[in-house]
Amino acid sequence: MKIYLVGGAVRDKLLGLPVKEQDYVVVGATPNEMLDMGFRQVGKEFPVFLHPKTNEEYALARMERKVKPGYKGFTFDTSPRVTLEEDLVRRDLTINAMAIDPDTGSLIDPYHGKQDLDHKILKHVSPAFAEDPVRILRLGRFYARYAHLGFTVAPITIELMRDMVKAGEVDALVAERVWKELERALSEQNPEKFFEVLDECGALAKLFPGLDVKGTGMQALIAAAESSNSPAIRFSALLHDLPDPRKSIIALCNRYRVPNDYRELALLTAQHFQAALDFKTLSADEILNLLGTLDYFRREERFYKFLAAVKAIDASRRKKLFKSFKTVDASDEFDPRHLIEAAQVSKQESAKQIREFIAQGIEGRELAEKIRKTRLEIIENFFAGQGQNMHK
Ligand code: CTP
C-alpha cells in the first residue's frame, strides 16, 4: 500500500499559497485494510476514509466511468490494482492532477501540471473532463481565483467546454452544485472571470440568462469585488441591472435555491439603489419610507450591506463616465454618511420615546403612527441641522 498527497494541496504548495485541505490517495489497499488500520469510512458512492487522528481524507485510488447522463451516472473501480496514474487521469485540470510522495517529497506529475502551473495555464487532463459538467464551473472558479496571477484558460479546453455545452451537458447540472460553485466564485478575487469563462463556452446564457459579461451588472460586480469581500454584496451588485430585475432575481434564486439573505439583499438593491443614490433629493418622509422598506430599524446590518452594494454600483458608473469623458466630478460621488447618521439618530433617539409610549399602554396602529411621527421629526431636525435643502 502506498499513500500520496493529491489535488488542491499539491497545486497550492507549488504556487506557494496556503494549503487549506490535504487530500490523500491510497494505492494498493482494500476498504477492509483501511478499516483495520482505524480509518473511518465516509462517502457511500466510493470509498473515502477519514484518518483516525488528523481527520484528513484518504480516498482509494479509483477509475471512473460515466455510464449514463447526469450527476450520479458514474461507475467506479476501486480495486487495489488501480494505479496512481489511472486515478490522476480522471481528474479535472492538469494543475489538480499532481501527487506528492510524502516519504520522499518528490512530485509525481504524469500530465505535466507543473509545466502548466509555470506557464499559468488552466487545461483539462483528458477527454474525461467532459464527463462532469460541474468542471466547467470549477474551471471558471479557478480562473476567478488565479487570473490575477496571470493564469489563462487553454483554448483547447474552451473548445472542449463548448462541445459539452452544445451536447446539453450543462442542462444536467444540479441546482445545489451550481449555487455552491457560484457562491465560491463570488468569493474569489476576480469573480467576473467566472462569468467570462461561462460566456466563452456558451454556458452563460443557459445558466444565467440576462447576465451580460459586458453589461453594467458585471461592471458593478467588479467594483464590488474591489471594495468588499462579501459574496452577498457582490451578488447584489451583479444583479442590480437585470432586465425586469425583480422577476429575474426571483427566477434565478428559485432556480438555484439561493439562500434568502442573498435573495433579499439582491432584491432590495435592484429595487432601491436609485433612491439611495438620490437620497439628497428626498424629503424626510421619503427617507423614512426608504428606511422602512429596507427594514433598517430591525435589520441594521443588512442596511450597511445594501449601502455597500449601492456604493459599488455608483463606483462602476463613475468609472464608465470617466472612460467616456476622462473626467468626473468627485463631489457627486455617492456618500451615504448623512443617510447613515439620519438613520442612526432616528433609531437611537426614538427608542426611549417608544418605550414610553408602550409604558403608557399605547399599542397597535396608534403606536405605529406615533413611532413614525417621532422618527420623522428626528430626521427632519437632523437634515435641518445639516443645512440640507430637503424637497418637501
Ligand atoms: N476533482 C475533479 N473533478 C471534480 C471535483 C474534484 O477532478 N468535479 C479533483 C481535482 O483533482 C481536485 C480534487 O478532486 O484537485 C479535490 O477537489 P476539491 O477538494 O473540490 O478541490 P481542490 O482542487 O482541492 O480546490 P479548492 O482549493 O477549491 O478546495
Side-chain angles (χ1 to χ4, degrees):
M1 173 197 314
K2 180 88 191 136
I3 292 173
Y4 299 92
L5 181 66
V6 288
V10 177
R11 175 197 71 220
D12 287 341
K13 256 186 221 279
L14 293 176
L15 280 172
L17 297 175
V19 170
K20 280 169 282 164
E21 264 175 27
Q22 306 211 97
D23 296 329
Y24 297 89
V25 157
V26 185
V27 178
T30 62
N32 280 338
E33 284 171 310
M34 298 299 285
L35 295 173
D36 286 347
M37 287 189 298
F39 282 83
R40 279 173 295 125
Q41 183 162 355
V42 290
K44 291 180 207 103
E45 293 175 51
F46 44 81
V48 178
F49 299 85
L50 296 183
H51 190 280
K53 292 217 177 73
T54 64
N55 264 327
E56 288 172 330
E57 276 190 13
Y58 288 68
L60 295 186
R62 66 176 187 264
M63 290 197 279
E64 286 179 359
R65 204 158 45 86
K66 194 158 183 176
V67 285
K68 55 177 194 271
Y71 175 41
K72 293 202 164 132
F74 287 94
T75 57
F76 303 98
D77 177 355
T78 57
S79 92
R81 284 180 303 279
V82 175
T83 65
L84 179 63
E85 285 72 16
E86 284 166 336
D87 181 278
L88 295 176
V89 78
R90 65 163 177 89
R91 292 174 182 261
D92 55 358
L93 305 178
T94 59
I95 63 165
N96 288 340
M98 297 181 276
I100 287 178
D101 177 347
D103 297 331
T104 61
S106 63
L107 183 72
I108 297 116
D109 181 19
Y111 308 107
H112 312 295
K114 175 75 171 66
Q115 188 184 315
D116 287 342
L117 263 193
D118 291 341
H119 292 141
K120 301 186 171 35
I121 289 174
L122 302 171
K123 191 167 84 201
H124 64 283
V125 181
S126 80
F129 181 96
E131 294 180 354
D132 179 4
V134 171
R135 290 172 168 176
I136 296 179
L137 303 170
R138 282 174 58 88
L139 189 142
R141 175 161 67 76
F142 286 117
Y143 188 38
R145 187 190 294 177
Y146 297 133
H148 71 107
L149 300 175
F151 273 78
T152 59
V153 183
I156 188 173
T157 302
I158 296 276
E159 249 173 68
L160 176 65
M161 294 196 295
R162 264 191 211 135
D163 292 343
M164 290 167 72
V165 174
K166 278 201 200 110
E169 281 289 342
V170 298
D171 307 324
L173 278 167
V174 178
E176 284 77 4
R177 298 301 304 273
V178 177
W179 169 245
K180 193 175 142 224
E181 293 298 329
L182 172 60
E183 187 180 29
R184 295 183 72 185
L186 285 169
S187 307
E188 298 294 356
Q189 183 150 341
N190 291 96
E192 74 281 7
K193 300 289 181 193
F194 173 79
F195 298 102
E196 270 177 32
V197 164
L198 298 190
D199 188 47
E200 273 200 58
C201 68
L204 188 70
K206 289 195 170 202
L207 293 174
F208 304 108
L211 277 189
D212 172 3
V213 286
K214 298 216 160 56
T216 44
M218 208 57 67
Q219 298 309 315
L221 170 66
I222 293 170
E226 282 167 7
S227 56
S228 164
N229 288 328
S230 152
I233 291 171
R234 294 170 172 197
F235 182 70
S236 303
L238 172 68
L239 303 183
H240 83 279
D241 219 10
L242 282 179
D244 198 351
R246 202 183 128 73
K247 224 170 129 193
S248 310
I249 290 171
I250 291 175
L252 188 146
C253 292
N254 284 345
R255 179 170 174 191
Y256 296 121
R257 309 208 184 109
V258 175
N260 269 340
D261 50 338
Y262 282 85
R263 170 197 298 247
E264 286 169 7
L265 188 64
L267 281 172
L268 288 178
T269 304
Q271 292 174 295
H272 304 294
F273 75 92
Q274 195 60 55
L277 285 176
D278 297 338
F279 83 92
K280 287 185 177 147
T281 68
L282 300 181
S283 66
D285 199 51
E286 287 165 332
I287 288 199
L288 186 58
N289 285 345
L290 178 63
L291 294 176
T293 314
L294 296 171
D295 207 7
Y296 165 76
F297 297 100
R298 286 187 299 179
R299 306 276 309 270
E300 191 167 342
E301 265 318 298
R302 193 180 59 189
F303 173 69
Y304 297 121
K305 287 191 172 159
F306 164 81
L307 291 180
V310 176
K311 232 176 153 28
I313 293 166
D314 181 60
S316 65
R317 291 177 166 197
R318 297 170 58 76
K319 205 164 164 184
K320 194 171 164 209
L321 284 176
F322 186 78
K323 268 196 192 141
S324 312
F325 303 112
K326 297 284 167 266
T327 169
V328 271
D329 183 359
S331 68
D332 55 39
E333 191 174 328
F334 176 59
D335 177 359
R337 271 176 303 178
H338 286 170
L339 181 60
I340 294 171
E341 275 181 55
Q344 287 174 343
V345 292
S346 73
K347 184 172 176 179
Q348 285 153 13
E349 290 181 14
S350 62
K352 189 164 157 270
Q353 292 186 51
I354 293 171
R355 279 196 298 276
E356 279 170 17
F357 294 146
I358 293 169
Q360 289 163 19
I362 301 170
E363 52 187 28
R365 181 177 289 230
E366 193 192 350
L367 178 66
E369 272 167 20
K370 280 196 175 296
I371 293 174
R372 180 176 170 83
K373 198 160 163 279
T374 308
R375 286 177 176 158
L376 191 61
E377 274 167 22
I378 297 169
I379 292 174
E380 273 167 359
N381 289 338
F382 173 83
F383 282 111
Q386 297 299 328
Q388 183 165 323
N389 194 6
M390 312 280 298
H391 293 225
K392 297 269 168 174

